[in-house]
Amino acid sequence: MAPLHFLAAAAALILAYGAVAHEHHDDKIPEGEGVSPDPIIVRSRWHVPLQTLGALLAILGYFLGHAHGGRQFAPNVHASFATVLMLLLIAQIVFGVYLKFHMEQGIHARIRRWVVFSHGVVGKIMPVLSWVQMLFGGITALGFCRADHTGQCLAHFIMGSAFIGYGIVLLILLLVGQAWLKRRGKSQEWFDSLLIAAWGFVNTFTEHRWGGPWVKNDLQHTSMGIVWFCAGILGIWLSRKRDGRPKRNLIPGMVILITGWAMSAHPQGLMLSTHVHTVFGYTLMAAGAARIIEISFVLRDRQSVDEEGEGDEASSWQYLTPFLLCASGFLFMGATEEQMALLSGANVSHVSYILILYSIAFLLFLFVAMLLNLYAAHAWPLDKNIVMKTNVGVGEGTANGAPRENGHLDRRMRDAEDFELEGLMTDDDEDDKPGIKHSQST
């Protein structure tokens, strides 16, 4: 149930994500008017069918999960959490059916406002809860994370999921979230630093049982929490200029790099675990270094590749940090004590295991990128006339033949061509060239 439910819920989340940066078209606005006569929001015709299909698959999976034979399981969190998910799914269905009736008169006007809010909240948290349920399913199937292993499992799966979530959020902001950041009046590093400081504060007081002896890696985990908190508050301070405008900084990238270095040297009991943790640390260091290079040399402290900070096209380099964060998350989740003991006993090499984890990261990143592209294509369809103009000649406009975000060729290139041809053309020729005539008239 969980994987199908997660896919359907994730698709619904992306399709229902709030309006963010896009190119503003004005070709449908009547003369003298401020807005076009179109509806403010046009919902996709696939919204209800996809929601219905996802609900049916989830309900079917729920009952099939209680009808299986073979291995038996003691009472576990996966079974208990399934009931919570089903209750939320039923509530989501009820909300959706109510909204479908479009009852907006009288008391329904107030009820509808809360139902819309609740419908959105449940739809947004469902992918996260479904991800948790999938993890619970894998843990339960193998009988892991019981007794003394519970704490270690929690640390790996929570932090690993946090890295994956961080990578997905960076990808969302990169592809469809630039205007949201601009409206908030804060740089991306302000939010990153705030979360880093909060996470460090919690880690400082939870990685060691205060009053008891310091065991295993308690000191290293606690010191890591301290450096996260200190770096986070510095990053918050550096995220604004003297006049209050947002400013990029390198602190989050440095924190990721330092954390990767620390984890690469984390002492382990098994050689396989040592190798996996080392590659995890190197991957995290690469993510931090890529972030620093992106801000310093690719963006040069700008919000995006577009100087106005509103472009919807990202540099190829900017995909590197989100992917490496996702890969590091899978590596860390796959490095628990019980997993390492199982693989070591089966003579699985660290190279094969790491390649499999990277393959899973590639597939997840592809899935998220496809959903974001689907949402962007539905929310802001490209003007076909503009696309045809930008594709007339390969290489026109920008390097590697990529069209510009605003769909127009470089004006400077047109002016240069006009200047070069001006002395070679007769008046009759100029009349036959509307582009040249327009350039001279302006």
Side-chain angles (χ1 to χ4, degrees):
M1 177 200 71
L4 295 174
H5 189 194
F6 171 72
L7 296 180
L13 169 65
I14 299 300
L15 291 175
Y17 194 75
V20 287
H22 66 95
E23 183 181 348
H24 295 274
H25 304 287
D26 56 5
D27 56 306
K28 296 182 180 180
I29 301 177
E31 185 177 355
E33 300 294 334
V35 297
S36 71
D38 301 317
I40 295 178
I41 298 176
V42 180
R43 187 175 297 281
S44 171
R45 65 180 184 274
W46 297 105
H47 175 75
V48 174
L50 282 177
Q51 290 275 7
T52 304
L53 177 62
L56 292 175
L57 291 174
I59 294 172
L60 179 63
Y62 179 80
F63 287 105
L64 289 178
H66 288 78
H68 69 83
R71 181 178 295 184
Q72 297 181 350
F73 302 95
N76 55 81
V77 66
H78 180 67
S80 303
F81 200 61
T83 303
V84 176
L85 283 178
M86 289 308 300
L87 291 176
L88 285 173
L89 178 61
I90 293 172
Q92 185 75 334
I93 294 173
V94 172
F95 293 150
V97 171
Y98 176 83
L99 294 175
K100 194 65 178 176
F101 284 116
H102 298 285
M103 294 183 293
E104 303 177 3
Q105 303 297 326
I107 192 174
H108 290 290
R110 295 184 179 180
I111 296 177
R112 184 179 178 85
R113 180 175 57 186
W114 289 105
V115 171
V116 169
F117 175 78
S118 302
H119 189 61
V121 170
V122 174
K124 289 175 176 63
I125 66 173
M126 192 66 79
V128 178
L129 298 180
S130 299
W131 170 263
V132 174
Q133 177 70 338
M134 285 196 299
L135 296 182
F136 286 160
I139 291 170
T140 301
L142 296 173
F144 287 168
C145 302
R146 291 181 174 270
D148 294 339
H149 297 288
T150 302
Q152 198 248 2
C153 272
L154 285 174
H156 276 258
F157 283 103
I158 291 175
M159 181 165 283
S161 297
F163 284 130
I164 295 174
Y166 187 18
I168 292 175
V169 169
L170 287 182
L171 186 60
I172 292 174
L173 293 175
L174 173 64
L175 298 181
V176 296
Q178 292 301 315
W180 182 87
L181 287 172
K182 192 172 184 179
R183 288 198 304 270
R184 294 299 180 276
K186 293 180 174 62
S187 67
Q188 185 172 318
E189 284 69 37
W190 187 91
F191 294 98
D192 295 350
S193 300
L194 180 63
L195 291 177
I196 287 173
W199 191 278
F201 181 82
V202 172
N203 269 22
T204 300
F205 298 100
T206 57
E207 292 295 334
H208 170 69
R209 293 184 178 180
W210 296 96
W214 291 82
V215 296
K216 292 187 177 180
N217 297 318
D218 280 6
L219 183 58
Q220 183 172 337
H221 292 162
T222 302
S223 61
M224 195 175 299
I226 294 173
V227 73
W228 275 46
F229 174 74
C230 296
I233 57 177
L234 173 61
I236 294 173
W237 177 260
L238 296 179
S239 297
R240 300 185 73 87
K241 298 181 180 179
R242 293 179 59 185
D243 58 3
R245 289 183 298 163
K247 186 179 186 302
R248 308 299 299 265
N249 68 77
L250 306 179
I251 299 301
M254 292 178 61
V255 170
I256 296 173
L257 194 152
I258 293 173
T259 303
W261 167 77
M263 298 306 299
S264 67
H266 211 44
Q268 304 296 322
L270 295 173
M271 184 58 65
L272 175 62
S273 181
T274 300
H275 286 311
V276 174
H277 275 80
T278 299
V279 175
F280 160 65
Y282 289 164
T283 303
L284 209 56
M285 290 172 66
R291 182 71 180 275
I292 293 174
I293 294 173
E294 173 190 338
I295 296 173
S296 301
F297 303 104
V298 178
L299 299 180
R300 298 184 179 180
D301 281 356
R302 295 174 299 183
Q303 296 299 319
S304 67
V305 176
D306 180 12
E307 292 185 2
E308 300 297 329
E310 298 176 353
D312 58 355
E313 293 296 332
S315 166
S316 300
W317 184 272
Q318 291 181 276
Y319 289 95
L320 194 56
T321 299
F323 169 74
L324 290 173
L325 285 170
C326 291
S328 63
F330 279 110
L331 287 168
F332 197 57
M333 286 197 300
T336 64
E337 294 173 346
E338 293 170 297
Q339 288 173 298
M340 295 295 94
L342 178 64
L343 293 171
S344 182
N347 296 319
V348 176
S349 68
H350 69 281
V351 175
S352 301
Y353 184 56
I354 290 170
L355 290 178
I356 291 173
L357 293 177
Y358 259 89
S359 301
I360 298 173
F362 278 118
L363 290 177
L364 177 68
F365 200 77
L366 170 64
F367 175 66
V368 176
M370 289 174 62
L371 289 180
L372 290 173
N373 183 75
L374 177 63
Y375 167 72
H378 169 73
W380 321 304
L382 296 176
D383 190 324
K384 294 182 180 180
N385 295 327
I386 293 179
V387 173
M388 291 178 63
K389 290 179 181 179
T390 56
N391 291 334
V392 168
V394 177
E396 287 183 308
T398 57
N400 299 322
R404 291 190 174 275
E405 293 81 7
N406 59 6
H408 295 286
L409 298 178
D410 193 335
R411 183 177 181 85
R412 289 176 297 178
M413 293 181 62
R414 295 201 309 269
D415 293 342
E417 293 172 355
D418 295 351
F419 177 78
E420 292 174 357
L421 296 175
E422 184 177 2
L424 303 177
M425 299 178 63
T426 64
D427 294 339
D428 294 336
D429 293 332
E430 291 177 355
D431 292 338
D432 295 335
K433 299 293 184 178
I436 301 298
K437 183 177 181 180
H438 173 74
S439 176
Q440 292 175 346
S441 63
T442 56

